[in-house]
Amino acid sequence: FLADRTERTNAAGQQTPAAAVYDAYCRWCEENHERSVMGKITFNDTLEERGFVRGQDRTKSNVWKGLVLTERRSEARTLEDLD
């Protein structure tokens, strides 16, 4: 999931809502027929183990700092192959 749907960024203030990241992960698992989907706590712990920083935005919503969701790279590669 991380390699296929996310990018790490050092841009100041760049953050993504934690719920959006987990939702994207769940969709990715479904699309890729992954049988063992991590629960939210395990997923969050895994991101922290990989160096991502959890925080809160101005509204106190949970966010991941320095993580950006991207389009599916596997689809992007397929489209590039058609050119």
Side-chain angles (χ1 to χ4, degrees), residues 3-59:
D4 197 34
R5 291 294 319 272
T6 69
E7 286 184 7
R8 189 180 296 260
T9 180
N10 293 323
Q14 187 65 53
Q15 55 193 20
T16 304
V21 176
Y22 186 73
D23 289 345
Y25 163 71
C26 290
R27 281 192 309 278
W28 181 89
C29 287
E30 187 176 312
E31 292 165 1
N32 290 282
H33 308 289
E34 290 291 327
R35 293 182 183 201
S36 57
V37 178
M38 288 184 266
K40 285 182 184 179
I41 293 172
T42 303
F43 179 76
N44 290 338
D45 291 346
T46 300
L47 288 180
E48 286 182 329
E49 288 170 4
R50 293 178 184 232
F52 292 100
V53 177
R54 201 174 353 183
Q56 292 185 332
D57 64 12
R58 292 180 298 226
T59 65

